[in-house]
Amino acid sequence: MASVSNRPLTANAGQAMMELIRELYPICRSITGDGVRETLRIVGEHIPLEIREIPTGTQVLDWTVPKEWNIRDAYVKDPGGRKIIDFRRHNLHVASYSVPVRRTVTLAELKQHLFSLPDQPDWIPYRTTYYKEDWAFCASQRVVDSLEEGDYEVCIDSTLAPGALTFGEHVHRGRTDEEVLISCHCCHPSLANDNLSGIALSTLLAEGLKDQETRYTYRFLFIPGTIGSITWLALNEAKTAKIRHGLVAACVGDPGLMTYKKSRRGNAEIDQAVLHVLRQRGGDFEALDFSPYGYDERQYCSPGFNLPVGSLTRTPHGRYPEYHTSADNLELVSAEHLADSLDAYREIFHVLERNRRYRNTHPKGEPQLGKRGLYGPVGGGKSIGASESALLWVLNLSDGEWSLLDIADRAGLRFENVRAAADALEAHGLLERV
Ligand code: ZN
């Protein structure tokens, strides 16, 4: 019989996330196609996923669901007949959405369809041709530099045809229908930190909520970037009114600092909760104001929705050298950093679940805490402890306007101390919920 592990849940979760990332890494994903389906099938082995297929041509806000792209093989053969670029060795070798091609081209023509990174000569770049029907290969600068004059055979065995856009949705029902939205993109091929880390973290977060009774309903979206969130918003506009808090999860496995990009509102409860948790965890982190560039927060925070959705990452997109290259691989992400990110997300959920407003039932003068056993028996010391300080702050600021998180921030106390004080005061009838 298997023994029950006593290790903290997150240590196991770090390994579980790495295993999931390893399993998903080889799959050639794009914004549509079988790579996304296979990815969602595997995620669906961990959590129940509702899979949606939205037909090509469907009008979604100002966009149209594109043709579906699938690829079986691709290569470039040099004049000697050797495969010098081979999709089967790395799926980044073909620009995503490349149209089918089977031709012989000169070196000059090949180079017009070839991307490389002169500053990182061993890395393969990640490129896409989503919204322009074209084809391209990507290779290391070393390979490109080695090419000699002559005729090259190029083959891309792909299809770009009417089909569907696929996305996955998992909902954990809470006591209320007010929602927390967690969104991650699942449209990148073999890239570990940018896309797979977010998928793995979202999966483990959702798995961790199983059998838990929560106040909020949690909605997890596994969607292709941009077109996926636009599609979801177009199909679910009525549901957006229920979204109270949201986070876009991406780039959560690298060794960099935690980075929080605030919602467009900038002062939403999610912004406050994330920053409180990052401060109380200690250590450095970075807080960025909203900008209309990045991941799907751009869509959730477009002015017609303006949802309270921020993005919590480690190193943000575009700010690490391996970003969108073959070096964003299994070595860049670790169980340790994934688990640390997961911890932060769980602490944020914890704060959101318990944050609320109260009204002091004895607001004229301080109620006498000593006779209720709430205050330490020994007086006269120079200062009071955090728990007694929390009692006084909660009583003073609980006028129905200040939330526990507001109080914790203003008093410089940990949310947990403030919440414990509120529980004790409520139990003695000194607070009532607003
Ligand atoms: Zn990306």
Side-chain angles (χ1 to χ4, degrees), residues 39-349:
T39 299
L40 298 179
R41 186 192 66 74
I42 292 169
V43 169
E45 290 173 355
H46 297 260
I47 52 172
L49 264 195
E50 193 188 322
I51 308 292
R52 299 290 309 274
E53 300 272 358
I54 311 302
T56 297
T58 305
Q59 198 63 34
V60 285
L61 305 180
D62 195 45
W63 297 54
T64 307
V65 172
K67 290 178 186 168
E68 180 178 325
W69 185 71
N70 285 291
I71 182 161
R72 290 158 293 278
D73 195 12
Y75 56 82
V76 176
K77 280 186 183 171
D78 70 8
R82 288 173 303 143
K83 277 188 189 173
I84 38 129
I85 298 173
D86 187 352
F87 170 77
R88 294 190 176 183
R89 267 186 296 189
H90 208 303
N91 60 34
L92 290 181
H93 277 314
V94 175
S96 197
Y97 260 66
S98 286
V99 295
V101 58
R102 195 180 282 271
R103 279 167 53 191
T104 302
V105 297
T106 63
L107 178 59
E109 192 180 354
L110 175 62
K111 282 192 170 172
Q112 287 171 11
H113 294 272
L114 202 48
F115 292 101
S116 59
L117 297 166
D119 295 339
Q120 297 289 354
D122 292 315
W123 298 355
I124 308 163
Y126 165 53
R127 292 287 181 273
T128 67
T129 62
Y130 292 151
Y131 300 106
K132 172 175 177 268
E133 293 202 357
D134 200 357
W135 59 272
F137 284 90
C138 303
S140 72
Q141 188 65 38
R142 284 196 204 294
V143 165
V144 173
D145 289 342
S146 73
L147 302 179
E148 291 167 3
E149 290 298 333
D151 289 338
Y152 287 81
E153 185 189 334
V154 296
C155 167
I156 297 178
D157 180 12
S158 64
T159 41
L160 186 58
L165 176 145
T166 313
F167 66 85
E169 197 163 358
H170 169 84
V171 176
H172 167 87
R173 297 261 165 234
R175 289 192 302 277
T176 70
D177 61 1
E178 301 191 309
E179 292 193 0
V180 177
L181 175 76
I182 301 293
S183 176
C184 64
H185 62 292
C186 59
C187 51
H188 290 20
S190 292
L191 295 169
N193 197 39
D194 180 12
N195 128 139
L196 292 181
S197 70
I199 295 173
L201 178 133
S202 299
T203 304
L204 270 282
L205 266 179
E207 220 172 10
L209 289 172
K210 197 172 65 182
D211 307 326
Q212 284 206 34
E213 209 207 307
T214 57
R215 166 185 172 190
Y216 287 110
T217 289
Y218 290 79
R219 182 179 301 276
F220 293 83
L221 299 183
F222 298 82
I223 50 172
T226 306
I227 187 68
S229 51
I230 284 173
T231 300
W232 189 85
L233 286 166
L235 299 174
N236 296 280
E237 190 161 348
K239 286 183 186 163
T240 61
K242 295 289 185 192
I243 295 172
R244 293 287 171 272
H245 321 285
L247 288 173
V248 170
C251 301
V252 287
D254 67 281
L257 296 179
M258 295 294 299
T259 304
Y260 180 61
K261 176 179 162 183
K262 293 180 205 170
S263 72
R264 180 176 179 272
R265 301 181 188 186
N267 61 354
E269 191 177 335
I270 186 67
D271 300 319
Q272 194 185 8
V274 174
L275 294 175
H276 185 88
V277 165
L278 293 179
R279 273 195 300 274
Q280 79 174 22
R281 279 159 61 88
D284 284 344
F285 65 90
E286 196 173 351
L288 303 173
D289 279 325
F290 176 77
S291 60
Y293 188 65
Y295 293 112
D296 288 307
E297 68 277 7
R298 294 155 67 167
Q299 315 310 331
Y300 303 125
C301 295
S302 56
F305 292 103
N306 197 22
L307 298 175
V309 176
S311 177
L312 181 59
T313 62
R314 299 188 79 87
T315 309
H317 69 93
R319 297 224 326 232
Y320 54 99
E322 301 89 347
Y323 171 78
H324 279 191
T325 78
S326 55
D328 184 347
N329 60 22
L330 298 170
E331 268 96 71
L332 184 66
V333 296
S334 69
E336 178 196 350
H337 295 113
L338 289 161
D340 184 64
S341 302
L342 183 71
D343 257 341
Y345 272 80
R346 285 181 173 160
E347 284 171 43
I348 292 159
F349 284 6

